[in-house]
mmCIF file of all heavy atoms in Angstrom:
data_model
loop_
_atom_site.group_PDB
_atom_site.id
_atom_site.type_symbol
_atom_site.label_atom_id
_atom_site.label_comp_id
_atom_site.label_asym_id
_atom_site.label_seq_id
_atom_site.Cartn_x
_atom_site.Cartn_y
_atom_site.Cartn_z
ATOM 1 N N GLY A 99 -14.202 216.697 80.721
ATOM 2 C CA GLY A 99 -13.688 215.404 81.151
ATOM 3 C C GLY A 99 -14.288 214.267 80.352
ATOM 4 O O GLY A 99 -14.925 214.472 79.322
ATOM 5 N N GLY A 100 -14.069 213.028 80.823
ATOM 6 C CA GLY A 100 -14.629 211.910 80.089
ATOM 7 C C GLY A 100 -14.155 210.558 80.595
ATOM 8 O O GLY A 100 -13.382 210.464 81.550
ATOM 9 N N THR A 101 -14.647 209.521 79.941
ATOM 10 C CA THR A 101 -14.282 208.139 80.251
ATOM 11 C C THR A 101 -13.136 207.696 79.350
ATOM 12 O O THR A 101 -13.259 207.757 78.121
ATOM 13 C CB THR A 101 -15.485 207.203 80.018
ATOM 14 O OG1 THR A 101 -16.579 207.614 80.834
ATOM 15 C CG2 THR A 101 -15.126 205.762 80.336
ATOM 16 N N TRP A 102 -12.023 207.268 79.947
ATOM 17 C CA TRP A 102 -10.903 206.733 79.158
ATOM 18 C C TRP A 102 -11.271 205.293 78.786
ATOM 19 O O TRP A 102 -11.062 204.363 79.561
ATOM 20 C CB TRP A 102 -9.628 206.760 79.976
ATOM 21 C CG TRP A 102 -9.120 208.139 80.295
ATOM 22 C CD1 TRP A 102 -9.710 209.327 79.992
ATOM 23 C CD2 TRP A 102 -7.908 208.470 80.992
ATOM 24 N NE1 TRP A 102 -8.949 210.379 80.454
ATOM 25 C CE2 TRP A 102 -7.841 209.884 81.061
ATOM 26 C CE3 TRP A 102 -6.888 207.715 81.546
ATOM 27 C CZ2 TRP A 102 -6.785 210.544 81.684
ATOM 28 C CZ3 TRP A 102 -5.827 208.372 82.161
ATOM 29 C CH2 TRP A 102 -5.778 209.772 82.224
ATOM 30 N N VAL A 103 -11.812 205.119 77.604
ATOM 31 C CA VAL A 103 -12.439 203.847 77.255
ATOM 32 C C VAL A 103 -11.432 202.724 77.039
ATOM 33 O O VAL A 103 -11.814 201.544 77.047
ATOM 34 C CB VAL A 103 -13.330 204.003 76.002
ATOM 35 C CG1 VAL A 103 -14.468 204.977 76.273
ATOM 36 C CG2 VAL A 103 -12.527 204.442 74.777
ATOM 37 N N ASN A 104 -10.163 203.054 76.837
ATOM 38 C CA ASN A 104 -9.151 202.009 76.618
ATOM 39 C C ASN A 104 -8.299 201.757 77.854
ATOM 40 O O ASN A 104 -7.256 201.104 77.764
ATOM 41 C CB ASN A 104 -8.252 202.377 75.431
ATOM 42 C CG ASN A 104 -7.468 203.663 75.661
ATOM 43 O OD1 ASN A 104 -7.927 204.574 76.350
ATOM 44 N ND2 ASN A 104 -6.289 203.759 75.065
ATOM 45 N N VAL A 105 -8.756 202.228 79.010
ATOM 46 C CA VAL A 105 -8.055 201.980 80.267
ATOM 47 C C VAL A 105 -8.933 201.071 81.114
ATOM 48 O O VAL A 105 -10.076 201.421 81.440
ATOM 49 C CB VAL A 105 -7.760 203.305 81.004
ATOM 50 C CG1 VAL A 105 -7.129 203.042 82.367
ATOM 51 C CG2 VAL A 105 -6.846 204.186 80.151
ATOM 52 N N GLU A 106 -8.424 199.902 81.468
ATOM 53 C CA GLU A 106 -9.255 198.847 82.053
ATOM 54 C C GLU A 106 -9.968 199.265 83.332
ATOM 55 O O GLU A 106 -11.114 198.909 83.555
ATOM 56 C CB GLU A 106 -8.398 197.606 82.327
ATOM 57 C CG GLU A 106 -8.012 196.832 81.071
ATOM 58 C CD GLU A 106 -7.323 195.528 81.398
ATOM 59 O OE1 GLU A 106 -7.293 195.160 82.595
ATOM 60 O OE2 GLU A 106 -6.823 194.869 80.473
ATOM 61 N N GLU A 107 -9.325 200.026 84.195
ATOM 62 C CA GLU A 107 -9.936 200.332 85.482
ATOM 63 C C GLU A 107 -10.995 201.431 85.411
ATOM 64 O O GLU A 107 -11.641 201.749 86.406
ATOM 65 C CB GLU A 107 -8.865 200.726 86.505
ATOM 66 C CG GLU A 107 -8.022 201.939 86.121
ATOM 67 C CD GLU A 107 -6.734 201.542 85.421
ATOM 68 O OE1 GLU A 107 -6.704 200.453 84.814
ATOM 69 O OE2 GLU A 107 -5.779 202.328 85.486
ATOM 70 N N GLN A 108 -11.180 201.997 84.235
ATOM 71 C CA GLN A 108 -12.193 203.036 84.074
ATOM 72 C C GLN A 108 -13.585 202.410 83.999
ATOM 73 O O GLN A 108 -13.796 201.430 83.278
ATOM 74 C CB GLN A 108 -11.941 203.838 82.798
ATOM 75 C CG GLN A 108 -10.736 204.760 82.890
ATOM 76 C CD GLN A 108 -11.083 206.080 83.560
ATOM 77 O OE1 GLN A 108 -11.854 206.873 83.059
ATOM 78 N NE2 GLN A 108 -10.466 206.307 84.709
ATOM 79 N N SER A 109 -14.532 202.945 84.770
ATOM 80 C CA SER A 109 -15.911 202.475 84.688
ATOM 81 C C SER A 109 -16.707 203.405 83.778
ATOM 82 O O SER A 109 -16.412 204.593 83.681
ATOM 83 C CB SER A 109 -16.547 202.430 86.077
ATOM 84 O OG SER A 109 -16.517 203.711 86.681
ATOM 85 N N PHE A 110 -17.709 202.843 83.107
ATOM 86 C CA PHE A 110 -18.537 203.621 82.207
ATOM 87 C C PHE A 110 -19.685 204.272 82.968
ATOM 88 O O PHE A 110 -20.055 203.843 84.061
ATOM 89 C CB PHE A 110 -19.076 202.728 81.091
ATOM 90 C CG PHE A 110 -18.069 202.431 80.001
ATOM 91 C CD1 PHE A 110 -16.945 201.655 80.259
ATOM 92 C CD2 PHE A 110 -18.248 202.934 78.724
ATOM 93 C CE1 PHE A 110 -16.019 201.373 79.269
ATOM 94 C CE2 PHE A 110 -17.334 202.664 77.715
ATOM 95 C CZ PHE A 110 -16.214 201.891 77.987
ATOM 96 N N LEU A 111 -20.262 205.315 82.377
ATOM 97 C CA LEU A 111 -21.320 206.084 83.013
ATOM 98 C C LEU A 111 -22.714 205.615 82.625
ATOM 99 O O LEU A 111 -23.603 205.545 83.461
ATOM 100 C CB LEU A 111 -21.168 207.572 82.648
ATOM 101 C CG LEU A 111 -19.842 208.232 83.035
ATOM 102 C CD1 LEU A 111 -19.786 209.653 82.475
ATOM 103 C CD2 LEU A 111 -19.665 208.243 84.543
ATOM 104 N N ALA A 112 -22.931 205.323 81.341
ATOM 105 C CA ALA A 112 -24.249 204.913 80.869
ATOM 106 C C ALA A 112 -24.586 203.532 81.415
ATOM 107 O O ALA A 112 -23.721 202.645 81.443
ATOM 108 C CB ALA A 112 -24.285 204.901 79.340
ATOM 109 N N PRO A 113 -25.828 203.292 81.838
ATOM 110 C CA PRO A 113 -26.169 201.989 82.428
ATOM 111 C C PRO A 113 -26.051 200.830 81.449
ATOM 112 O O PRO A 113 -25.936 199.677 81.871
ATOM 113 C CB PRO A 113 -27.620 202.180 82.886
ATOM 114 C CG PRO A 113 -28.146 203.305 82.068
ATOM 115 C CD PRO A 113 -26.976 204.215 81.834
ATOM 116 N N TYR A 114 -26.061 201.107 80.146
ATOM 117 C CA TYR A 114 -25.986 200.041 79.143
ATOM 118 C C TYR A 114 -24.601 199.884 78.542
ATOM 119 O O TYR A 114 -24.395 199.048 77.651
ATOM 120 C CB TYR A 114 -27.008 200.284 78.028
ATOM 121 C CG TYR A 114 -27.044 201.695 77.502
ATOM 122 C CD1 TYR A 114 -26.177 202.130 76.515
ATOM 123 C CD2 TYR A 114 -27.968 202.606 78.006
ATOM 124 C CE1 TYR A 114 -26.208 203.427 76.037
ATOM 125 C CE2 TYR A 114 -28.019 203.906 77.543
ATOM 126 C CZ TYR A 114 -27.142 204.316 76.560
ATOM 127 O OH TYR A 114 -27.174 205.601 76.099
ATOM 128 N N LEU A 115 -23.640 200.657 79.006
ATOM 129 C CA LEU A 115 -22.277 200.542 78.499
ATOM 130 C C LEU A 115 -21.347 200.005 79.574
ATOM 131 O O LEU A 115 -21.527 200.299 80.754
ATOM 132 C CB LEU A 115 -21.764 201.914 78.018
ATOM 133 C CG LEU A 115 -22.416 202.465 76.757
ATOM 134 C CD1 LEU A 115 -21.853 203.849 76.441
ATOM 135 C CD2 LEU A 115 -22.213 201.540 75.568
ATOM 136 N N PRO A 116 -20.363 199.188 79.171
ATOM 137 C CA PRO A 116 -20.003 198.801 77.807
ATOM 138 C C PRO A 116 -20.754 197.580 77.272
ATOM 139 O O PRO A 116 -20.531 197.172 76.144
ATOM 140 C CB PRO A 116 -18.522 198.484 77.927
ATOM 141 C CG PRO A 116 -18.385 197.925 79.309
ATOM 142 C CD PRO A 116 -19.368 198.709 80.157
ATOM 143 N N ALA A 117 -21.673 196.987 78.077
ATOM 144 C CA ALA A 117 -22.283 195.712 77.692
ATOM 145 C C ALA A 117 -23.023 195.797 76.361
ATOM 146 O O ALA A 117 -23.020 194.834 75.582
ATOM 147 C CB ALA A 117 -23.238 195.252 78.792
ATOM 148 N N ALA A 118 -23.670 196.935 76.090
ATOM 149 C CA ALA A 118 -24.453 197.055 74.846
ATOM 150 C C ALA A 118 -23.575 197.294 73.630
ATOM 151 O O ALA A 118 -24.076 197.348 72.512
ATOM 152 C CB ALA A 118 -25.471 198.181 74.975
ATOM 153 N N LEU A 119 -22.287 197.420 73.841
ATOM 154 C CA LEU A 119 -21.352 197.680 72.742
ATOM 155 C C LEU A 119 -20.192 196.687 72.846
ATOM 156 O O LEU A 119 -19.046 197.068 73.124
ATOM 157 C CB LEU A 119 -20.847 199.119 72.833
ATOM 158 C CG LEU A 119 -20.276 199.773 71.564
ATOM 159 C CD1 LEU A 119 -21.266 199.703 70.419
ATOM 160 C CD2 LEU A 119 -19.902 201.213 71.845
ATOM 161 N N PRO A 120 -20.474 195.389 72.633
ATOM 162 C CA PRO A 120 -19.439 194.372 72.849
ATOM 163 C C PRO A 120 -18.272 194.479 71.876
ATOM 164 O O PRO A 120 -17.153 194.074 72.198
ATOM 165 C CB PRO A 120 -20.198 193.057 72.656
ATOM 166 C CG PRO A 120 -21.387 193.408 71.829
ATOM 167 C CD PRO A 120 -21.762 194.797 72.227
ATOM 168 N N HIS A 121 -18.524 195.018 70.687
ATOM 169 C CA HIS A 121 -17.464 195.191 69.695
ATOM 170 C C HIS A 121 -17.638 196.569 69.062
ATOM 171 O O HIS A 121 -18.688 196.852 68.485
ATOM 172 C CB HIS A 121 -17.531 194.105 68.619
ATOM 173 C CG HIS A 121 -17.526 192.712 69.170
ATOM 174 N ND1 HIS A 121 -16.401 192.134 69.722
ATOM 175 C CD2 HIS A 121 -18.525 191.802 69.284
ATOM 176 C CE1 HIS A 121 -16.696 190.918 70.130
ATOM 177 N NE2 HIS A 121 -17.984 190.691 69.880
ATOM 178 N N ALA A 122 -16.626 197.391 69.184
ATOM 179 C CA ALA A 122 -16.739 198.741 68.628
ATOM 180 C C ALA A 122 -15.354 199.277 68.318
ATOM 181 O O ALA A 122 -14.356 198.926 68.971
ATOM 182 C CB ALA A 122 -17.440 199.672 69.610
ATOM 183 N N ASP A 123 -15.307 200.129 67.318
ATOM 184 C CA ASP A 123 -14.070 200.820 66.973
ATOM 185 C C ASP A 123 -14.091 202.232 67.518
ATOM 186 O O ASP A 123 -15.155 202.869 67.626
ATOM 187 C CB ASP A 123 -13.897 200.879 65.450
ATOM 188 C CG ASP A 123 -13.518 199.532 64.851
ATOM 189 O OD1 ASP A 123 -12.978 198.689 65.591
ATOM 190 O OD2 ASP A 123 -13.758 199.336 63.652
ATOM 191 N N ALA A 124 -12.919 202.723 67.832
ATOM 192 C CA ALA A 124 -12.744 204.109 68.252
ATOM 193 C C ALA A 124 -12.175 204.909 67.091
ATOM 194 O O ALA A 124 -11.341 204.407 66.320
ATOM 195 C CB ALA A 124 -11.803 204.193 69.453
ATOM 196 N N TYR A 125 -12.623 206.147 66.970
ATOM 197 C CA TYR A 125 -12.158 207.060 65.934
ATOM 198 C C TYR A 125 -11.809 208.387 66.579
ATOM 199 O O TYR A 125 -12.557 208.890 67.437
ATOM 200 C CB TYR A 125 -13.242 207.312 64.881
ATOM 201 C CG TYR A 125 -13.692 206.095 64.120
ATOM 202 C CD1 TYR A 125 -14.608 205.204 64.681
ATOM 203 C CD2 TYR A 125 -13.229 205.831 62.834
ATOM 204 C CE1 TYR A 125 -15.048 204.083 63.984
ATOM 205 C CE2 TYR A 125 -13.655 204.710 62.129
ATOM 206 C CZ TYR A 125 -14.561 203.842 62.704
ATOM 207 O OH TYR A 125 -14.988 202.740 62.009
ATOM 208 N N LEU A 126 -10.703 208.972 66.164
ATOM 209 C CA LEU A 126 -10.373 210.321 66.616
ATOM 210 C C LEU A 126 -11.223 211.338 65.855
ATOM 211 O O LEU A 126 -11.858 211.026 64.842
ATOM 212 C CB LEU A 126 -8.889 210.604 66.388
ATOM 213 C CG LEU A 126 -7.902 209.723 67.156
ATOM 214 C CD1 LEU A 126 -6.464 210.147 66.842
ATOM 215 C CD2 LEU A 126 -8.162 209.786 68.664
ATOM 216 N N LEU A 127 -11.231 212.571 66.338
ATOM 217 C CA LEU A 127 -12.041 213.603 65.698
ATOM 218 C C LEU A 127 -11.613 213.863 64.259
ATOM 219 O O LEU A 127 -12.435 214.273 63.432
ATOM 220 C CB LEU A 127 -11.980 214.910 66.494
ATOM 221 C CG LEU A 127 -12.498 214.887 67.941
ATOM 222 C CD1 LEU A 127 -12.632 216.311 68.464
ATOM 223 C CD2 LEU A 127 -13.809 214.138 68.073
#
């Protein structure tokens, strides 16, 4: 499973995310 990072209602698991990553790109495998 995982966090759908581009879906607004999804909450992140790590205590520092998403705040510690204000700007980031996503890459497929």
